[in-house]
Amino acid sequence: MNANAKVLDSQQLLIHWQGHRNLTRRVIEAFPEKDLFEFSIGGMRPFSKLVLEMIAIAGPALKSIVDGTITEFDESFNPTTKVEILKKWDEETEVINEYFSQISEERFQEMFNLFGQYEFPIYQNVLYFIDNEIHHRGQGYVYLRALGIEPPFFWERER
Amino acid sequence: MNANAKVLDSQQLLIHWQGHRNLTRRVIEAFPEKDLFEFSIGGMRPFSKLVLEMIAIAGPALKSIVDGTITEFDESFNPTTKVEILKKWDEETEVINEYFSQISEERFQEMFNLFGQYEFPIYQNVLYFIDNEIHHRGQGYVYLRALGIEPPFFWERER
């Protein structure tokens, strides 16, 4: 028994997350422009809104954690084209790369009051960003299927 | 910069996963019996089949990793009621608890040929089990919304 075994280091988790982000990017690309902004099921948000939530969380949250400043959750970025979303997505890829590696081992276990609302250890906050992306992207898969579009394979994470 | 910072230990990841599994269990419970086995969107599998995939992966994969034996992927368990699925879910909760803590720090970085098909470091295999559950559960959320049923909150992980 070794319940305190270290599972992975931050570089491995960063690669894992960016692999997921590559897949999410391809799911965005798979949507027809109109459906990205308008299609929904059961009163849910269109996929563009789910993606904008991911964008509002990832980079800003990491910046906030590294800088140690509490910023409010800001979803004011309101693009109207797929190209704008993908451009922002790629910019945030670089922001994530820059800030993620600056979180030290000690800090992953520290509490942080993310967006002044979510007080959890930083490792839990980071896992939440990834889990939330997978959750909403899974919803995007159903939208694509309902539109008769084959989504990318879930296990393909390369760009 | 500290790219090799340890993010979390295996006990923390186990708690994280069992929190997700608590939520998945509540999503199963939220489905009307008939819809659990029959409702689908866009030609996808009904939610029962997605859950049976999770059940076929988690416990058997951990057993296989700990025992060091390659077993074939087995989806032959074929329940016809929600009660049977929930019973099996709870049994697997105990299997996961028993085996997860037996994976040592060194082994998380070792390659393992899961089900004789997926040759990856064990930490990647374990993250895959969790990610796959979140992905398919997210699809279950859309099914519930399409059925006019409010799913449990994504961030509530307690039993």
Side-chain angles (χ1 to χ4, degrees):
Chain A
M1 298 284 285
N2 185 359
N4 291 115
K6 161 188 163 173
V7 174
L8 80 176
D9 65 36
S10 61
Q11 187 62 26
Q12 291 172 328
L13 186 58
L14 175 58
I15 290 167
H16 178 75
W17 187 10
Q18 293 288 20
H20 273 300
R21 294 185 75 261
N22 289 339
L23 176 58
T24 304
R25 193 185 195 287
R26 287 204 305 281
V27 173
I28 299 168
E29 286 181 307
F31 270 84
E33 182 95 19
K34 187 173 187 297
D35 294 316
L36 180 61
F37 290 92
E38 294 179 12
F39 184 79
S40 93
I41 292 175
M44 295 176 64
R45 290 171 285 176
F47 193 60
S48 58
K49 287 288 181 201
L50 303 178
V51 170
L52 292 174
E53 180 186 293
M54 299 171 201
I55 288 173
I57 292 174
L62 288 177
K63 266 190 194 175
S64 171
I65 288 168
V66 169
D67 296 343
T69 52
I70 308 294
T71 51
E72 275 187 37
F73 185 61
D74 177 5
E75 269 189 313
S76 60
F77 175 56
N78 189 26
T80 54
T81 65
K82 195 201 288 194
V83 163
E84 285 172 273
I85 291 180
L86 290 172
K87 181 169 175 288
K88 182 74 170 167
W89 190 263
D90 294 338
E91 288 167 6
E92 293 305 308
T93 299
E94 298 310 313
V95 171
I96 291 166
N97 284 338
E98 179 182 345
Y99 284 90
F100 197 94
S101 306
Q102 295 184 46
I103 307 172
S104 65
E105 181 158 329
E106 300 71 46
R107 292 217 59 212
F108 275 112
Q109 298 295 322
E110 272 174 25
M111 298 296 279
F112 188 76
N113 190 12
L114 188 68
F115 301 126
Q117 289 186 75
Y118 308 103
E119 179 105 37
F120 294 104
I122 287 172
Y123 82 87
Q124 287 185 17
N125 271 322
V126 171
L127 291 179
Y128 188 88
F129 310 156
I130 302 171
D131 296 348
N132 188 58
E133 176 172 338
I134 299 168
H135 173 69
H136 285 319
R137 188 184 57 212
Q139 299 175 332
Y141 271 62
V142 185
Y143 288 9
L144 286 176
R145 289 282 183 196
L147 289 164
I149 297 166
E150 177 104 17
F153 291 120
F154 177 65
W155 55 85
E156 279 188 1
R157 306 287 166 79
E158 301 303 316
R159 211 182 278 265
Chain B
M1 299 282 287
N2 187 359
N4 290 116
K6 162 187 162 173
V7 176
L8 79 177
D9 66 35
S10 61
Q11 187 62 27
Q12 291 172 329
L13 186 59
L14 175 59
I15 289 167
H16 179 75
W17 187 11
Q18 293 289 20
H20 272 300
R21 293 185 75 262
N22 289 341
L23 176 58
T24 304
R25 192 187 197 284
R26 287 203 306 280
V27 174
I28 299 167
E29 285 181 308
F31 271 84
E33 183 96 21
K34 187 174 187 294
D35 294 317
L36 180 61
F37 290 93
E38 294 179 12
F39 183 79
S40 93
I41 292 175
M44 294 175 64
R45 289 170 286 175
F47 194 60
S48 59
K49 288 286 182 201
L50 302 178
V51 170
L52 291 174
E53 180 186 292
M54 299 171 200
I55 288 173
I57 292 174
L62 289 177
K63 267 190 192 171
S64 172
I65 288 168
V66 169
D67 296 343
T69 53
I70 308 294
T71 50
E72 274 186 40
F73 185 62
D74 177 6
E75 272 189 309
S76 61
F77 174 57
N78 189 27
T80 54
T81 64
K82 194 201 288 194
V83 163
E84 286 172 272
I85 291 181
L86 290 172
K87 182 169 174 289
K88 182 72 170 168
W89 190 264
D90 294 338
E91 288 168 8
E92 294 303 309
T93 299
E94 298 310 314
V95 171
I96 291 167
N97 283 338
E98 179 183 346
Y99 284 91
F100 196 96
S101 306
Q102 295 184 47
I103 307 174
S104 66
E105 182 158 329
E106 301 71 47
R107 291 218 59 215
F108 275 112
Q109 298 295 322
E110 273 174 25
M111 298 296 280
F112 188 76
N113 191 12
L114 188 68
F115 301 127
Q117 290 186 76
Y118 309 103
E119 178 105 38
F120 294 104
I122 287 172
Y123 81 86
Q124 287 185 17
N125 272 322
V126 171
L127 291 179
Y128 189 89
F129 311 156
I130 302 171
D131 295 347
N132 188 59
E133 177 172 337
I134 298 168
H135 173 69
H136 284 319
R137 188 185 56 213
Q139 300 174 333
Y141 270 62
V142 186
Y143 289 8
L144 286 175
R145 288 283 184 196
L147 289 164
I149 297 166
E150 177 104 15
F153 291 120
F154 178 64
W155 56 86
E156 280 187 2
R157 306 287 167 77
E158 300 303 315
R159 210 181 282 262

